[in-house]
Amino acid sequence: MTNPAPLIDAAALRAAATDSKAWPYEEARKLLKRYPNGKAGGEAILFETGYGPSGLPHIGTFNEVLRTTMVRRAFETLSDAPTRLIAFSDDMDGLRKVPDNVPNKEMLAGYLGKPLSRIPDPFGTHESFAAHNNASLRAFLDQFGFEYEFISSSDYYASGRFDDALKSVLRHYQAILDVMLPTLGAERRATYSPVLPVSPKSGVVLQVPVEVVDADAGLIAFDDAGDRITQSILGGQAKLQWKVDWAMRWVALGVDYEMAGKDLIDSVTQSGKIARVLGARPPEGFNYEMFLDEKGEKISKSKGNGLSLEQWLTYGSDESLAFYIYREPRKAKSLHMGVIPRAIDDYWQFRANYADQPVEQRLGNPVHHIHNGPPPAEALPVTFGLLLNLVGVMGAQATREQVWGYLVNYVADAYPATYPALDNLIDKALAYNRDFVAPTLQRRAPEGVERAALEALDAELAKLAPETSAEDIQNIVYEIGKTGGFESLRDWFKALYETLLGTSQGPRMGSFIALYGIENSRKLIAEALAV
């Protein structure tokens, strides 16, 4: 165990944050510049993150809420102004296609085009499809302890809380068209309307041209299946095209900060122009890069490439995911199984460094933003990579209790109650090894100078006491490599990994041998030499 990092004095923290190059503080300073004296009337600075409830929450949802929360906390370091975070569900959107991961697909197919909040729940647990997915979103956010206020688009449209903003859209109808039409193709321009009426006949959200009849009353006219309809856009009888809807929402709610993916840069630009047409200042924010799969292709829910949140949390901790998400948000990063072990070890390395860092370095340390200050005191006595190597030689049927049996001989007070985070990671390592490592392990026979070097290592290990330190064992391994006739030490270490562990990369062998045990390690060498 380690001592907890001391808390940072609030004044020193604020002073350091003023100049910190950590991206959450850079983003927070945009808001400080926007409101140097706080928002008028002492209102809260409003952060927003949006969600389309046509599917279940996913890793992108976690990504956006986490990063927005980090900016919010950074702003609270710089300012005493109150803040709020809204999780907005666009559940007035019409269902465009039936998702692949839901039951009763045939039933849903009969509701295409209708608002998500007016479609029966295919799971049979809520009053609508949107209500089911909204509940999943809230449970998802609550699971990770996010502080937020949930808002349903359908509720706000139906209750009248968007009425003033909707009337303003009608009053500025032509100006909004002037923003949007130049961005559309000729065919789309012919039918485009900022307002999408809900058909009184079919209940479908219509994509038809509309005529503003009376902006102050909220009345429009449109053709619906051969009939000319005059209808209010208030009370949930219409919604807006999503770029217009996004801008209207910023205006109606007073949103001050919202980030979005790089694929939405054009949408942010157009929505910002519309917000200005409606007499408001667009929110601050930035566009983050998208995740890529191991082939370098953009991750797509419909393709099913990439990695799901559930998969990451099966093989890695939520802190490691938060660490991976925090780093370099403007750089495209691969998101696949292979990045998890490195993310776990990198997180714990940054966490171990935190206590001894000066304030300025702490504010740039990812763990400061993951934990909103000093991280918990627990240290990790072995790396996740070393755990993977251990369970790799133990086999796919290894158990947590067996792993702890090795750890007790290597780490003082190595018990689950003493190291709960390590206990959790043992389960992750066992699962990762079982599903991804064990099927690929293949030990090869030693060749040439490798055989004599392994014999020399076995002879040296035979002289050692069981409690010999990892560092002393590492020195022996190192000396044998220097005198064993290898072109480089890298060749020696690679030979150890490939002949003893069955992989081309591995841990510090001194640490591995101390953890696995000298006698057990000699058995591995004997097995390799017998091939």
Side-chain angles (χ1 to χ4, degrees), residues 39-62:
K39 209 167 179 179
E43 289 187 28
I45 307 298
L46 189 62
F47 296 78
E48 181 182 57
T49 183
Y51 168 69
S54 58
L56 299 175
H58 53 88
I59 203 164
T61 310
F62 180 85

Side-chain angles (χ1 to χ4, degrees), residues 153-167 234-236 252:
S153 176
S154 290
D155 288 347
Y156 270 55
Y157 269 102
S159 67
R161 279 174 280 192
F162 280 158
D163 281 1
D164 288 342
L166 290 172
K167 293 175 184 178
L234 310 179

Side-chain angles (χ1 to χ4, degrees), residues 9-312:
D9 173 78
L13 179 62
R14 180 166 292 186
T18 301
D19 298 316
S20 175
K21 290 182 171 56
W23 69 263
Y25 289 116
E26 290 182 336
E27 291 301 299
R29 287 196 291 270
K30 294 179 183 177
L31 287 165
L32 195 64
K33 184 177 180 180
R34 181 182 179 108
Y35 297 117
N37 300 312
K39 209 167 179 179
E43 289 187 28
I45 307 298
L46 189 62
F47 296 78
E48 181 182 57
T49 183
Y51 168 69
S54 58
L56 299 175
H58 53 88
I59 203 164
T61 310
F62 180 85
N63 167 51
E64 195 161 306
V65 179
L66 176 68
R67 285 176 172 165
T68 303
T69 296
M70 288 177 173
V71 177
R72 180 187 182 190
R73 298 308 180 207
F75 176 78
E76 290 171 344
T77 299
L78 292 166
S79 172
D80 296 324
T83 65
R84 296 167 56 206
L85 170 62
I86 286 175
F88 189 93
S89 172
D90 189 15
D91 54 10
M92 267 292 285
D93 198 17
L95 180 65
R96 293 179 177 85
K97 66 177 183 177
V98 178
D100 294 329
N101 58 346
V102 298
N104 297 314
K105 294 187 180 68
E106 290 185 5
M107 179 275 288
L108 280 182
Y111 290 90
L112 288 175
K114 295 186 179 182
L116 296 164
S117 56
R118 302 175 192 178
I119 296 174
D121 177 18
F123 296 89
T125 58
H126 292 75
E127 64 270 21
S128 70
F129 187 28
H132 176 276
N133 289 341
N134 287 341
S136 297
L137 171 67
R138 298 175 76 168
F140 172 88
L141 298 178
D142 293 342
Q143 174 187 349
F144 296 102
F146 289 117
E147 296 178 14
Y148 67 96
E149 301 167 34
F150 177 79
I151 289 181
S152 157
S153 176
S154 290
D155 288 347
Y156 270 55
Y157 269 102
S159 67
R161 279 174 280 192
F162 280 158
D163 281 1
D164 288 342
L166 290 172
K167 293 175 184 178
S168 183
V169 168
L170 294 187
R171 294 187 191 104
H172 297 89
Y173 199 79
Q174 186 57 51
I176 293 171
L177 285 175
D178 291 343
V179 170
M180 289 303 305
L181 292 183
T183 70
L184 306 174
E187 184 176 346
R188 184 77 176 100
R189 283 199 302 268
T191 61
Y192 178 83
S193 168
V195 177
L196 305 177
V198 176
S199 168
K201 296 180 178 181
S202 65
V204 168
V205 178
L206 299 175
Q207 299 266 356
V208 295
V210 306
E211 172 192 352
V212 178
V213 175
D214 186 337
D216 291 335
L219 292 177
I220 59 170
F222 56 93
D223 291 331
D224 182 8
D227 293 328
R228 188 67 173 171
I229 304 293
T230 299
Q231 181 172 292
S232 172
I233 67 169
L234 310 179
Q237 296 181 79
K239 77 175 301 288
L240 302 181
Q241 288 278 7
W242 93 269
K243 292 177 186 177
V244 185
D245 186 273
W246 205 6
M248 180 277 295
R249 185 196 315 165
W250 290 343
V251 175
L253 301 177
V255 176
D256 298 302
Y257 189 90
E258 182 162 7
M259 60 178 64
K262 184 180 178 181
D263 57 334
L264 295 180
I265 287 178
D266 176 66
S267 299
V268 171
T269 300
Q270 300 308 316
S271 294
K273 292 178 180 178
I274 294 167
R276 291 187 178 92
V277 166
L278 297 176
R281 181 180 179 182
E284 309 297 330
F286 76 97
N287 296 103
Y288 52 82
E289 261 288 2
M290 311 306 291
F291 288 125
L292 307 175
D293 66 10
E294 43 194 339
K295 296 179 181 178
E297 297 177 355
K298 178 184 170 183
I299 288 176
S300 166
K301 285 187 289 183
S302 59
K303 286 183 182 178
N305 59 339
L307 193 63
S308 73
L309 183 73
E310 292 76 14
Q311 286 173 316
W312 186 295

